[in-house]
Amino acid sequence: MIPGEAHGTIALSASACTSCMICVRECPTWCIELDSHTEQVSEPGARRPKTVNVLDAFRIDFGLCMYCGICVDLCPFDALAWSPEHDLASTTAAGLVHGIEELESTWPSADCAAEAGTPGGDGSPSDS
Amino acid sequence: MTSHGRTDVSPADWLEAMAGLRSEGFVLFDFLTAVDRGATLEVVARIVNPVTRVTAMVWTTLPADAAELASLSDYYLGATWCEREAAEMFGVTFIGLADTRPLLLRASLGKPPMRKSAPLVARAIRDWPGAAQATDDGRQGGNPSRRRQLPPGVPEVFLHDDVNGDVASAELASGDQR
């Protein structure tokens, strides 16, 4: 049994990500790529529309990642988390590049997050 | 295992110190490698006394631009492999080392890649993903107030813009990596 706090892979909660680029810029191996655009959002009662970042693509190349966890530590919005999922093998180099869908699929369950004392569970893609 | 601790010796005393420890029972050679400190290069060897299970780390400091050290291969045959590795990765010349063939790299590669003065080529041939910014589809002309972000630790000559890209490729092609 893999303990919940195991550093098996890095998972993403796209709904928590604000496309701030901190993880991309701090990654020592340059393994994270992020595409985003801005949109104007009008909220009722607001005087003028608000500019928000919208996440278009998020990729981690696990062929480059050295599992240092700096991105997990630095994310101000807990949009990245360690996950005990570890079965990332691929027959091609391109298969090691995981996009939003794959990164969200490994988001740790609430049980794992509680065991690890880290974010997870709440705010997960399946919960929201 | 207990540790004999760290011993620092001058390069001139390197062989004598290691031979002395070997005669005291430190007959098992574990590893040898180097550490780039900028102006100096440190070489460290770890040896073990298999009877008492005591380990010893012996360090010496060489000038980075004239890194020469006596080879341990007469005392520890196993040091040959590590010395060949330190020679090609850190550019240490081991005097008396019979086999100087590179282990992994082509002889023509140029600067020893583990020296801090040898920039990582992968940083030159790829754009920094952190340079990307949110594309502005709500306003015209982008956001001029945002400062250009630069990747940490990458030499200026490697940064990709129209001018520097050419310089970096030219330097790489000539094998002169700064």
Side-chain angles (χ1 to χ4, degrees):
Chain A
M1 151 123 191
I2 306 293
E5 74 270 27
H7 290 184
T9 188
I10 291 164
L12 171 76
S13 172
S15 58
C17 176
T18 65
S19 312
C20 71
M21 298 287 288
I22 287 176
C23 54
V24 180
R25 292 185 177 135
E26 297 297 328
C27 174
T29 64
W30 296 16
C31 76
I32 307 177
E33 288 184 348
L34 188 159
D35 300 329
S36 64
H37 68 275
T38 56
E39 277 178 9
Q40 308 287 322
V41 175
S42 303
E43 287 179 345
R47 192 169 295 197
R48 62 184 76 146
K50 193 167 78 170
T51 304
V52 295
N53 286 335
V54 179
L55 185 67
D56 295 320
F58 192 104
R59 292 176 295 274
I60 298 182
D61 185 346
F62 286 107
L64 290 174
C65 176
M66 60 177 186
Y67 295 83
C68 67
I70 287 174
C71 55
V72 176
D73 288 350
L74 288 177
C75 178
F77 308 101
D78 291 342
L80 292 165
W82 284 112
S83 164
E85 297 293 328
H86 58 280
D87 190 10
L88 303 180
S90 170
T91 53
T92 60
L96 292 170
V97 181
H98 286 203
I100 291 178
E101 199 175 316
E102 289 123 317
L103 294 170
E104 289 206 306
S105 70
T106 56
W107 188 260
S109 67
D111 289 349
C112 287
E115 196 178 330
T118 56
D122 290 340
S124 89
S126 53
D127 292 358
S128 59
Chain B
M1 284 210 186
T2 51
S3 172
H4 191 268
R6 174 182 172 134
T7 312
D8 280 277
V9 300
S10 75
D13 298 335
W14 174 253
L15 209 52
E16 198 183 331
M18 294 296 285
L21 284 163
R22 191 182 188 283
S23 65
E24 289 170 30
F26 289 87
V27 294
L28 179 67
F29 176 83
D30 185 5
F31 71 79
L32 175 145
T33 190
V35 183
D36 186 350
R37 302 288 187 196
T40 59
L41 200 68
E42 295 180 353
V43 176
V44 55
R46 184 178 187 269
I47 45 178
V48 182
N49 183 330
V51 178
T52 60
R53 297 169 69 85
V54 174
T55 66
M57 301 270 276
V58 187
W59 292 75
T60 191
T61 305
L62 308 169
D65 51 0
E68 285 190 354
L69 194 63
S71 169
L72 301 176
S73 49
D74 284 347
Y75 295 94
Y76 298 97
L77 194 56
T80 308
W81 189 271
C82 292
E83 287 181 348
R84 283 171 65 189
E85 191 177 37
E88 71 175 322
M89 295 296 174
F90 288 95
V92 184
T93 305
F94 288 96
I95 297 155
L97 179 63
D99 188 351
T100 54
R101 288 172 299 156
L103 285 166
L104 293 168
L105 308 175
R106 294 192 314 274
S108 59
L109 190 71
K111 217 160 204 175
M114 296 298 278
R115 287 283 189 104
K116 286 177 182 166
S117 55
L120 190 57
V121 177
R123 295 291 177 263
I125 60 174
R126 211 187 134 196
D127 289 326
W128 184 46
Q133 292 183 344
T135 46
D136 242 323
D137 62 358
R139 280 170 294 177
Q140 294 296 312
N143 187 347
S145 68
R146 201 173 288 164
R147 274 173 57 202
R148 187 175 163 227
Q149 298 263 353
L150 296 174
V154 177
E156 187 86 7
V157 71
F158 272 27
L159 298 177
H160 280 243
D161 53 52
D162 295 330
V163 183
N164 283 347
D166 291 343
V167 178
S169 344
E171 290 217 350
L172 282 174
S174 73
D176 173 27
Q177 300 172 21
R178 270 170 77 117

